[in-house]
């Protein structure tokens, strides 16, 4: 993913979201627990560190514990329609 922009959200319920936007409307969002002490640069550095850990240690995970939450837009991307179960 070629990074186009980075957006740091506001602190909300003890969480801050860092979004990395790429070309082709790709988006990776990282939600971080924060007590309000993370400034923008620190939040971006921490989010990047989390992504590195995920990619480095992803083979250590147990796929049976994976949870997948999706929205109507995700269903559209999967089967090209709105509503109903995706065709698999």
């Amino acid at each position: 993913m070629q990074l186009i922009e980075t957006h740091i959200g506001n602190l909300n319920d003890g969480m801050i979201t860092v979004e990395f936007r790429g070309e082709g409307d790709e988006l990776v969002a990282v939600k971080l627990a924060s007590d309000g002490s993370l400034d923008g640069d620190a939040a971006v550095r921490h989010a990047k560190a989390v992504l590195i850990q995920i990619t480095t240690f992803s083979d250590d995970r147990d796929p049976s514990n994976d949870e997948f939450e999706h929205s109507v837009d995700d269903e559209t991307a999967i089967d090209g329609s709105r509503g109903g179960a995706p065709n698999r």
Side-chain angles (χ1 to χ4, degrees):
M1 176 171 109
Q2 174 136 4
L3 187 62
I4 303 297
E5 69 178 346
T6 303
H7 180 267
I8 301 106
N10 295 323
L11 184 65
N12 188 13
D13 292 330
M15 302 293 284
I16 189 167
T17 302
V18 178
E19 294 180 342
F20 300 98
R21 292 193 180 273
E23 61 186 350
D25 291 327
E26 294 177 316
L27 172 70
V28 174
V30 180
K31 287 188 175 185
L32 306 168
S34 177
D35 60 3
S37 63
L38 280 178
D39 66 7
D41 290 338
V44 170
R45 284 192 305 274
H46 189 80
K48 287 180 178 180
V50 168
L51 292 173
I52 289 169
Q53 289 177 339
I54 289 170
T55 58
T56 301
F57 301 108
S58 64
D59 292 337
D60 296 344
R61 71 175 177 76
D62 179 358
S64 66
N65 292 327
D66 288 355
E67 294 181 26
F68 178 72
E69 295 180 21
H70 64 275
S71 66
V72 172
D73 290 331
D74 292 330
E75 290 179 7
T76 302
I78 293 170
D79 74 359
S81 66
R82 291 210 173 265
N87 296 330
R88 297 185 195 253

